Structure formats: C-alpha cells, structure tokens
Amino acid sequence: MRLIASYIIGLIFGVGISISGMANPAKVLNFFDVAGAWDPSLIFVMGGAVVVTFIGYRFVLKRPAPMLEQKFQLPTRRDLDLPLIGGSAVFGIGWGIAGFCPGGALPALGTGKSEVFIFVAALLAGIFAVNIMNRMRQMRSATA
C-alpha cells in the first residue's frame, strides 16, 4: 500500500511541477531575471504551494498518526548552523544558474534533454560527496 501511495503522490507532484512550468529552466531563469525578461508567474506557483501546505498541515497534524506510519516524522531542530546555511546557498545558486531544482528536474527527465541528465548527475554526485564528508567528519570526531 505504501508503494502505491508513494507512486500516486509522486505522480501528482510531477504533473503539478510540469503544469506550473517549474520543470522548464527558461521559465525559472526568467523569474530570477528581474532586470530583463522577468516572469513573475512562479510567485503564484510558490504562493499557492505555501497556502496549500499551510492549510494541509493544519488538518493532517490534528490526526494522532499518519495513515501509513506509526508516528509523524517532524524536524525537531530549529537552530541555524553552517551546513544548513551553506546548503541553502548552494541550492539557491545552483537553481539560479541551471534553472532546475531537484523537484523540477526529476519530472523533466522525461524530456530526454541532456542538460537535465547532467543536472541530476551533478545533484547525485553532490549528495554522495556530502555523505562521504559527513562520514569522514564523524570518524574524525569519534577517534578524537
């Protein structure tokens, strides 16, 4: 049942990303080009997502547990640290340069365009590099 629910949720997300234009790097880059061919339409996409999420969380978190899990898995940390700020900066810079974010790039893989595959390969390489660096840091602090 979890696999089916995951598939349906991913399908809805991918269709929404595609319809909204978030899988189109030119549309995203035009959003960031405030001095040129600025396209403000993504403000409405992001605003709509925030409103739906805000309302949805109000209903969902009133339940004792999720439908397919024992308990909710919500973040407990609220502090700002260097990895969070650095990761956010790298994400924003990459989104501004490439026009893709991970959520928009995955549905765009279906276009077969090489730049999407290059972006996803770089994304995966970055994830693996961070995991390796975190393991090395943990090993160093365990031996110290």
Side-chain angles (χ1 to χ4, degrees):
M1 184 62 176
R2 249 187 243 172
L3 184 61
I4 294 169
S6 297
Y7 176 77
I8 292 170
I9 291 166
L11 183 64
I12 292 169
F13 179 80
V15 168
I17 288 287
S18 298
I19 290 171
S20 71
M22 294 287 285
N24 179 358
K27 187 168 188 73
V28 173
L29 292 173
N30 285 341
F31 172 72
F32 289 121
D33 187 10
V34 293
W38 186 53
D39 181 359
S41 63
L42 292 186
I43 291 172
F44 299 105
V45 172
M46 290 183 232
V50 168
V51 169
V52 168
T53 301
F54 180 82
I55 294 169
Y57 267 77
R58 297 299 170 262
F59 286 109
V60 169
L61 293 178
K62 287 182 181 177
R63 300 174 50 89
M67 293 174 66
L68 301 174
E69 287 290 330
Q70 297 295 321
K71 64 177 187 159
F72 288 106
Q73 297 178 16
L74 300 171
T76 56
R77 290 183 57 182
R78 295 192 179 268
D79 59 319
L80 299 176
D81 60 0
L82 187 59
L84 176 65
I85 293 169
S88 300
V90 169
F91 174 88
I93 291 167
W95 194 23
I97 291 172
F100 288 115
C101 72
L106 295 181
L109 284 170
T111 66
K113 293 183 179 176
S114 61
E115 60 265 20
V116 182
F117 286 95
I118 292 167
F119 175 84
V120 171
L123 171 73
L124 293 173
I127 290 170
F128 288 124
V130 167
N131 284 339
I132 290 168
M133 288 188 318
N134 284 340
R135 276 192 226 119
M136 289 172 54
R137 188 171 16 142
Q138 289 172 350
M139 288 177 10
R140 268 189 263 138
S141 58
T143 57

